[in-house]
Amino acid sequence: MRVAVTGYGVIGKRVAEAVGLQSDLVLAGVADVVADWRLAVAVEKGFRVFGATAPAAAAMRAAGIEVSGEVLDLLGAADIVVDCTPKNIAATNIEAYRKLGLKFIVQGGEKHAVTGHSFVADSSYETAIGRQSTRVVSCNTTSIVRTLTALKQAGLLHNARGTLLRRATDPWESHETGIMNTLVPEPSIPSHQGPDAQSVDPDLDVVTMAVKVPETLGHLHFWNVRMTRTAGKEEVLDAFRASSRIALVRGDNGLKALNSIKEWMLDIGRPHGDLYEVALWADMLTVQGDELFYAYMVDNQAIVIPETIDAIRALAGDETDAAASIWATNAALGIGSLSGSGPPTPRVDP
């Protein structure tokens, strides 16, 4: 599959890099409207760069950025397009994709109705196979579906209630947007993430509440789950271990907060310090009878990247086994290499 990426921002650049790592996908190029350092870096990485409009292409050339053409040239060289443009823009682009007969993927900022299908690989891969389009849900929704699906597949999930502490903005633009010295609750209960998770799996009994907090490293979730029966802590942890995209970490091993987990990702050499997995604190997890309590971190810039790669394969229809696609994506991105308890404690010789 030849993959075009429109929108070369926080998600788009990561999708482009991830596509380039897959043995069965080819990156046709990237398109954007800006002519700044981000597109210059894309050229340095060997990506073909296209202007999303004629003026954008002209501005890129004026800035010394090597331009391969305009967006229609890119779309003509692709089998599928991953639209990573800002919220609500993709909905205006899809008619062009349909007219060209292209399969397409939009991101979680768009409504479910844009594609009529919402995607998380662990839950809805099979129903995406061969479709023309799907929507990879937001970072928070992806984490919710991943973790609750793990419990559901283990026969442990009855219902779930979660509180989300949401980062204020993406780190790279925190000098322009965000909040400071306040907390901003989402004005309705449930917050939008719960209904969004149900767009992937309508059987989920889930309610969410959310508050925006003045930091940019990631999101923090707290969950109270009513299980179908009494279960022990190890049985619950085994259910989470069964998902390759949930990493069990431990605060007593030094991973006490979002910044330490992010530093861990940088230390092990992940591109951009990206955490593709849900980082769930194993030592914090508590079971009381049939009630389960746990917390985890979500990297808002990274978690949807492997899902997007799997969505490409599902729409292509060549790989009908979700587990096989997940394995291939994981292998290319280094997912599954994290231990079940975080980094080892260094041994100091006497």
Side-chain angles (χ1 to χ4, degrees), residues 5-14 16-17 30-34 38-39 41-43 45 47 84-85:
V5 176
T6 55
Y8 192 73
V10 169
I11 300 300
K13 68 181 179 182
R14 288 170 167 83
E17 292 167 7
V30 301
D32 209 300
V33 296
V34 300
R38 289 168 289 177
L39 277 301
V41 170
V43 172
K45 289 179 178 289
F47 301 159
C84 301
T85 55

Side-chain angles (χ1 to χ4, degrees), residues 102-268:
L102 285 173
K103 293 177 180 287
F104 62 91
I105 295 167
V106 300
Q107 298 296 314
E110 306 304 323
K111 302 294 186 184
H112 173 78
V114 170
T115 62
H117 187 273
S118 293
F119 187 92
V120 175
D122 287 330
S123 179
S124 61
Y125 186 99
E126 288 79 4
T127 56
I129 293 171
R131 288 180 56 91
Q132 185 188 17
S133 63
T134 189
R135 176 184 73 120
V136 173
V137 294
S138 72
C139 49
N140 282 314
T141 303
T142 296
S143 75
I144 293 168
V145 176
R146 267 192 205 169
T147 51
L148 297 187
T149 296
L151 295 173
K152 181 179 178 180
Q153 290 177 344
L156 294 174
L157 178 65
H158 178 60
N159 61 39
R161 308 293 182 253
T163 299
L164 290 59
L165 305 181
R166 301 179 57 206
R167 62 96 179 92
T169 188
D170 288 322
W172 86 274
E173 58 183 359
S174 59
H175 63 295
E176 294 181 348
T177 60
I179 61 173
M180 184 174 290
N181 197 35
T182 189
L183 301 175
V184 183
E186 192 155 325
S188 62
I189 300 175
S191 61
H192 71 273
Q193 294 87 5
D196 201 30
Q198 291 166 330
S199 75
V200 180
D201 183 351
D203 293 333
L204 292 179
D205 183 346
V206 57
V207 177
T208 52
M209 299 177 286
V211 56
K212 187 182 293 187
V213 298
E215 58 85 25
T216 65
L217 289 175
H219 307 299
L220 178 63
H221 286 219
F222 286 90
W223 284 88
N224 173 203
V225 170
R226 178 74 66 179
M227 296 187 289
T228 55
R229 55 180 172 80
T230 299
K233 179 173 180 175
E234 279 305 310
E235 183 179 2
V236 173
L237 289 174
D238 283 342
F240 288 133
R241 290 186 185 108
S243 171
S244 61
R245 293 179 180 173
I246 298 174
L248 299 182
V249 300
R250 300 189 64 88
D252 59 13
N253 203 10
L255 298 174
K256 297 180 179 180
L258 306 191
N259 59 306
S260 54
I261 293 175
K262 194 69 173 177
E263 189 74 7
W264 179 29
M265 294 300 100
L266 290 164
D267 283 353
I268 65 175

